[in-house]
Amino acid sequence: MKLVLKMLLTAIAVVILAKILPGVYVDSYSTAVIVAIVLGLLRVFVKPLIILFTLPLTILTLGIFLFVINAGIILLADKLVDGFAVSGFWYALLFSLLLSFFQSILYSFLKEDQQKQMS
């Protein structure tokens, strides 16, 4: 259940960012849910492999190259999902940063609910 809530919150964040950023386009709410699922799968399966292959560069840049990897994951999701478009690398980078920020805020509400249930 928590995984489904996280995907829905990510989809909400994708829709909000598509409204805010001029270089990001999402066709519909169902497309946003698909984008959230694809991003989750790419982060689980593809991102660790890319990090492993680019580990020397990531260490050399003190982890800043991870931002480039995140933008690449967003651009890959753009290619995989019809109805989702990012107009370039810089918009993908900004989208990635803002999505992480929104997710941390939205996921904090889930943690608060969990703590209330445990009390």
Side-chain angles (χ1 to χ4, degrees):
M1 184 66 177
K2 187 175 176 182
L3 180 65
V4 172
L5 282 174
K6 282 187 173 187
M7 287 297 154
L8 290 175
L9 289 175
T10 301
I12 290 169
V14 168
V15 169
I16 291 170
L17 288 173
K19 301 282 185 196
I20 295 172
L21 295 174
V24 179
Y25 172 76
V26 176
D27 209 12
S28 63
Y29 294 111
S30 60
T31 303
V33 172
I34 293 169
V35 168
I37 292 168
V38 168
L39 283 176
L41 291 173
L42 289 174
R43 287 180 180 155
V44 169
F45 294 111
V46 177
K47 188 176 178 181
L49 292 174
I50 295 172
I51 290 173
L52 183 67
F53 289 130
T54 61
L55 191 60
L57 187 58
T58 303
I59 292 171
L60 185 66
T61 61
L62 302 176
I64 294 175
F65 191 72
L66 291 173
F67 292 123
V68 174
I69 292 172
N70 286 338
I73 295 292
I74 298 295
L75 290 173
L76 185 58
D78 171 25
K79 300 295 181 201
L80 294 174
V81 178
D82 291 331
F84 175 63
V86 180
S87 63
F89 173 79
W90 294 110
Y91 279 113
L93 182 65
L94 185 59
F95 179 81
S96 172
L97 291 171
L98 291 175
L99 183 63
S100 297
F101 177 72
F102 277 120
Q103 283 176 329
S104 65
I105 291 171
L106 293 173
Y107 291 176
S108 70
F109 293 128
L110 289 179
K111 290 179 184 174
E112 287 178 10
D113 289 342
Q114 252 183 358
Q115 290 175 356
K116 286 180 185 177
Q117 289 176 356
M118 294 176 81
S119 301

